[in-house]
Amino acid sequence: SPRRTRLTPDLSWLTTNPYYALSKALGEQLAWDLADQHDLALTVLRLGPVYGSRDHKYTANVARWARRRVHFAPTARVPQVHVSDAAAAIVCATQREHTAGRAYNLGGAPTSITDTVRAASKALHTHCRVVPIPVPITVRFDDRAAERDLDFRNRSPTEGWREALG
């Protein structure tokens, strides 16, 4: 927020590929335009970084980091949503008509990469020494509407990474 319509440099570029973010924003606008054009009910869910047992990108990277003897990790805090929590919100959105015409953020509490690697190391029973690199940045999503309308609850990093890597 606000939804992007072009590449404009800002601090979000430190945590998110700006082209990726712009492509998502333009895709969402296209979905709203098509829904309006064809008189379709549309609910948009904006997911933060997703992780889970079948994710071969982010989850695999975190697992690889957690298997190292030492990993240097930034303290930047970003939202992370467990795939099962996102799936439950998606199902809920399809069953509640009052969600049509709205957009919902799904991200959960911001978690540092440092804490993420520590949780993954614990889940994998490895002994990775995580060395924090101070990066005083926090990215937050306002999940309150999703919590209210979609019963969205994002599990704790400890529980989520245990499931994702267990």
Side-chain angles (χ1 to χ4, degrees), residues 67-157:
R67 287 185 177 102
R68 294 177 177 168
R69 291 179 59 136
V70 176
H71 182 71
F72 294 87
T75 59
R77 301 176 67 79
V78 296
Q80 300 175 35
V81 62
H82 189 278
V83 67
S84 294
D85 300 327
I90 292 167
V91 169
C92 195
T94 66
Q95 297 171 342
R96 297 185 179 173
E97 291 181 21
H98 69 278
T99 66
R102 301 201 56 191
Y104 295 92
N105 297 323
L106 305 178
T111 304
S112 71
I113 302 303
T114 304
D115 290 341
T116 297
V117 175
R118 285 181 179 142
S121 178
K122 187 174 181 179
L124 291 168
H125 306 289
T126 63
H127 300 286
C128 179
R129 180 169 180 260
V130 182
V131 179
I133 300 172
V135 178
I137 295 173
T138 298
V139 177
R140 294 187 193 284
F141 287 6
D142 184 351
D143 293 334
R144 289 176 294 186
E147 290 169 359
R148 181 191 64 235
D149 295 351
L150 305 174
D151 300 327
F152 174 66
R153 301 290 179 270
N154 198 34
R155 63 194 69 204
S156 73

Side-chain angles (χ1 to χ4, degrees), residues 46-62:
R46 299 173 181 147
L47 281 63
V50 177
Y51 70 99
S53 59
R54 293 187 182 184
D55 170 41
H56 300 291
K57 188 174 180 185
Y58 182 62
T59 304
N61 286 337
V62 170

